Amino acid sequence: MTAEPVLTVEDLTVVYETEEPITAVKHADLTLHRGEILGLAGESGCGKTTLAYAVNRLHRPPARIASGRIIFHGDQGDIDILALEDAGLRAFRWERLSMVFQGAMNALNPVTTVRAQLKDTLLAHRPRMSRKEIRERSEDVLTRVGVDPRRLGSYPHELSGGMRQRVMIAMAMLLEPQIMIMDEPTTALDVVVQRDILREIVRLRDELDFAVIFITHDLPLLLEISDRIAVMLEGEIVELEAADRLYRDAQHPYTRKLLGSFPSLSGERGAFIRTGIDETSADEISETAEERA
Ligand SMILES: Nc1ncnc2c1ncn2[C@@H]1O[C@H](COP(=O)(O)OP(=O)(O)O)[C@@H](O)[C@H]1O
Ligand SMILES: [Mg+2]
């Protein structure tokens, strides 16, 4: 990780223009560095998903961006995400920035195989890719997220929840974006599968050096995997700090309250992932059991 920014969010405000307008994101500032895992924490309803959608330009009415700038700092210069036209936006998504949605594991198309879904995404962006290249890339991303490439022929209902979520992460990695936004990617999964997938995400980041915005209300989990953590409260980012610093020396009263509300948060930061590594075989057994279920 370097301190070079890959994404800058400035003064972002998002309003739901409902009968009683709701300002879900209020003048948010955020910088994402190349290759870092930035955790976005905060309780349900504080605006995390709204912020993620806006960064992806996926917000739809009644949501409206009332202020702000979102800049992607690419190798070929800056891209003003809010100014992108449709074609530019289509090229941008998945290629530069991809998203794993909240509840994504249920978002796979039920009537097509994993192979077809990966292929469609690849061809939409790289129409000249050969069959062989498509096969190789598809096998490669599945292997990277820990799914046997023989699963390419499977339909979503033939996969466990954990595997479906891994496929979604594979899909998000497919075009080698510099940024992946993951919105509660493991919340619906049991703890062991969750830990396994998290470890995978950290490892992939180490290997491939993409940046991640990892969203969850689960602060202990973020403390384990994040380089820095942003804490959101009622639409505002109230604190943004290195994870260990935040753990030791939170400045904002709300962050301290949040830290205090997790009794499990005792002991050394980092235990979660390390414990996981020692329990690899247990994880494998559990994943297999889940597969059979
Ligand atoms: N489509 C919508 N229309 C109106 N209000 C919405 C809509 N989606 C979310 N909100 C409101 O915006 C606020 C932030 O929601 P959200 O971004 O989903 O929070 P989080 O992801 O942190 O749980 C909440 O008050 C929520 O009720
Ligand atoms: Mg959400």
Side-chain angles (χ1 to χ4, degrees), residues 74 81 117 133 135 160 218 240:
I81 297 181
Q117 301 191 47
E133 287 167 330
R135 193 185 66 234
S160 67
D218 187 340
L240 174 56

Side-chain angles (χ1 to χ4, degrees), residues 43-50 102 183-184 215:
E43 61 203 48
S44 187
C46 73
K48 305 182 296 297
T49 296
T50 304
Q102 200 168 342
D183 190 1
E184 311 259 7
I215 300 174

Side-chain angles (χ1 to χ4, degrees), residues 2-238:
T2 62
E4 224 182 304
V6 65
L7 184 79
T8 309
V9 175
E10 272 172 23
D11 189 38
L12 182 68
T13 301
V14 186
V15 182
Y16 288 100
E17 302 284 8
T18 43
E19 215 165 324
E20 283 280 300
I22 299 167
T23 308
V25 177
K26 298 171 187 161
H27 305 287
D29 294 314
L30 198 71
T31 305
L32 178 69
H33 298 152
R34 277 176 195 268
E36 87 169 327
I37 299 183
L38 177 72
L40 181 57
E43 61 203 48
S44 187
C46 73
K48 305 182 296 297
T49 296
T50 304
L51 186 142
Y53 269 66
V55 168
N56 240 301
R57 281 269 304 275
L58 283 167
H59 61 289
R60 293 285 170 269
R64 181 177 67 85
I65 294 184
S67 77
R69 275 166 31 104
I70 305 172
I71 308 293
F72 173 82
H73 308 285
D75 298 330
Q76 282 109 40
D78 288 358
I79 296 176
D80 181 345
I81 297 181
L82 295 183
L84 283 174
E85 310 279 339
D86 285 354
L89 194 56
R90 272 197 303 277
F92 181 80
R93 279 194 207 129
W94 299 98
E95 291 256 10
R96 309 283 174 82
L97 186 156
S98 68
M99 182 149 167
V100 177
F101 298 94
Q102 200 168 342
M105 62 192 213
N106 301 316
L108 285 164
N109 186 340
V111 299
T112 45
T113 59
V114 172
R115 176 184 289 113
Q117 301 191 47
L118 292 173
K119 182 177 131 197
D120 286 351
T121 307
L122 277 173
L123 282 181
H125 290 262
R126 315 244 163 105
R128 281 199 207 93
M129 253 181 130
S130 72
R131 249 190 241 179
K132 179 165 173 281
E133 287 167 330
I134 290 170
R135 193 185 66 234
E136 284 170 359
R137 182 71 189 137
S138 301
E139 289 176 356
D140 178 50
V141 285
L142 280 194
T143 308
R144 281 181 188 281
V145 298
V147 174
D148 188 326
R150 279 176 299 186
R151 292 292 189 166
L152 278 169
S154 299
Y155 289 87
H157 73 266
E158 297 173 317
L159 306 174
S160 67
M163 274 202 272
R164 288 204 301 276
Q165 194 60 310
R166 285 167 192 271
V167 170
M168 293 310 293
I169 295 168
M171 193 95 92
M173 288 176 40
L174 199 56
L175 295 152
E176 299 171 273
Q178 276 122 297
I179 303 173
M180 281 169 53
I181 301 182
M182 301 191 181
D183 190 1
E184 311 259 7
T186 58
T187 303
L189 303 170
D190 80 58
V191 173
V192 179
V193 177
Q194 179 181 22
R195 183 200 284 154
D196 216 24
I197 292 181
L198 289 170
R199 213 183 316 133
E200 214 89 65
I201 292 169
V202 173
R203 191 180 53 74
L204 286 167
R205 187 283 305 262
D206 292 347
E207 223 171 271
L208 304 171
D209 208 35
F210 49 76
V212 180
I213 298 181
F214 195 103
I215 300 174
T216 176
H217 59 276
D218 187 340
L219 186 59
L221 184 154
L222 280 187
L223 283 165
E224 299 297 342
I225 65 165
S226 309
D227 298 302
R228 292 187 306 150
I229 296 178
V231 177
M232 213 168 164
L233 169 65
E234 291 170 8
E236 285 180 56
I237 293 176
V238 294

